[in-house]
Amino acid sequence: MTVVYHLLLVLHLLGWAIVFGGALAGMKKPALPAGALHGILTALVTGILMVGIASADLAGHEPDNAKIAVKLVIALVATGLVVYGARKPEKVTRGFLGAVVGLVVVNVAVAVLWR
């Protein structure tokens, strides 16, 4: 199950990278690329699956529930913004995209720096 966990981790990081890159690329002419929606949903679903695997003690470690709660709130806000931007592309501005990029950076920073 450790292999599955690590494959999910790779997909999780790729999902966040797609959102980050898509939002940055969209800042030149404010638009949210279609791939950002797929990336954010990939990141959210794989993150939930990884927590489930770790909580079942199949990944070799127990998750820090406080850290997971913070990351989940940030991920849900980012997901909400991306879904809103995908449904109403005329509302996407540079500030909107900056918020998405900022949330992605904060989520990755929490994952790496919170020990």
Side-chain angles (χ1 to χ4, degrees):
M1 203 50 129
T2 304
V3 172
V4 173
Y5 181 84
H6 286 99
L7 287 174
L8 288 171
L9 177 60
V10 168
L11 289 173
H12 182 70
L13 294 173
L14 288 173
W16 284 117
I18 291 168
V19 176
F20 182 76
L24 279 180
M27 281 194 180
K28 188 170 186 180
K29 179 182 172 192
L32 190 64
L37 179 62
H38 298 152
I40 198 82
L41 293 176
T42 298
L44 184 64
V45 170
T46 56
I48 291 169
L49 291 173
M50 287 183 343
V51 170
I53 289 171
S55 294
D57 205 21
L58 298 173
H61 59 79
E62 280 288 318
D64 180 351
N65 289 327
K67 176 181 173 180
I68 297 302
V70 170
K71 286 183 55 58
L72 181 60
V73 168
I74 294 168
L76 289 173
V77 172
T79 301
L81 285 175
V82 171
V83 168
Y84 179 78
R87 290 186 182 206
K88 298 192 184 262
E90 69 277 358
K91 302 282 187 174
V92 175
T93 63
R94 285 189 178 95
F96 181 92
L97 294 170
V100 172
V101 168
L103 287 168
V104 170
V105 169
V106 168
N107 208 1
V108 170
V110 168
V112 173
L113 300 175
W114 187 323
R115 293 284 168 188

